[in-house]
Amino acid sequence: MKNEETSFGDRRESQWLRTTGAEPSKRKHLYHRSNILKRVLVLTALLHSSFFILHSSFSQTPQKGKASYYSKKATGARTSSGERLHHDSLTCAHRTHPFGTMLKVTNPQNGKSVVVKVTDRGPFGRGRIIDLSWRAAKELGMLAQGVAMVLVEVADDIVVPFKAKEEKKNLPELDFERNEQGDEPLHPYWEK
């Protein structure tokens, strides 16, 4: 089997070399040189595209566009992050934001908003910027419409209702070297 693969590769290389019109001694050099150039171009394109995706994903600018939602029938399907989708969870699919990012999605028509977690990739090629879970769409009041204009922004400071912000408490400093009588240092009972 390996010999067949090698012969096929050699055959393809020899066909390419014959079509270049170069003299036989330079043909091999030209073939390998063009492969190196192709690889360099592909790697350069990948590096630039990954830079733009990462750069755009960390931007704090709000996005405005169309949103759709997953059907209840999608419950149980695996998302790109590996989690299972449930229609009652507040999750979404976004093209560029990293998994686990909390996004605040606002419906400007009725002023309702919801905070969702990115667990999937998409939507692709439908003119939409975000796919919401069924529950998130219900919270935004867009179930009847199916598709709605929304404003998407990164939720920096998530406020949990009825939870007081944690304050640093000034705890007293304890000296564990002396007991209350000040006689000798405290030792664990197993060292006595």
Side-chain angles (χ1 to χ4, degrees), residues 87-192:
H87 66 273
D88 275 337
S89 61
L90 293 174
T91 60
C92 72
H94 196 274
R95 289 184 198 144
T96 56
H97 285 291
F99 294 134
T101 303
M102 302 301 280
L103 300 176
K104 181 180 177 184
V105 182
T106 307
N107 186 347
Q109 291 177 343
N110 56 17
K112 294 181 179 180
S113 65
V114 66
V115 176
V116 293
K117 179 180 168 185
V118 178
T119 59
D120 204 1
R121 290 286 170 239
F124 297 106
R126 297 184 291 176
R128 301 188 179 131
I129 61 169
I130 194 167
D131 268 339
L132 300 167
S133 64
W134 185 86
R135 169 84 183 274
K138 183 179 178 183
E139 299 277 330
L140 291 175
M142 60 176 272
L143 287 179
Q145 299 165 337
V147 176
M149 289 297 290
V150 293
L151 181 68
V152 178
E153 53 194 343
V154 177
D156 289 329
D157 190 22
I158 300 171
V159 178
V160 178
F162 307 112
K163 183 178 179 183
K165 290 191 176 185
E166 294 180 20
E167 296 178 12
K168 292 184 178 179
K169 297 178 182 177
N170 293 330
L171 297 175
E173 291 186 23
L174 301 175
D175 184 17
F176 291 106
E177 293 299 319
R178 299 272 177 205
N179 61 11
E180 291 178 1
Q181 287 79 24
D183 297 338
E184 57 186 68
L186 295 175
H187 296 288
Y189 68 90
W190 59 83
E191 290 182 4
K192 289 185 178 180

Side-chain angles (χ1 to χ4, degrees), residues 18-34:
R18 274 186 261 134
T19 59
T20 59
E23 54 189 72
S25 63
K26 293 184 180 179
R27 285 182 183 169
K28 269 241 193 260
H29 177 70
L30 287 174
Y31 178 76
H32 293 294
R33 190 176 199 187
S34 68

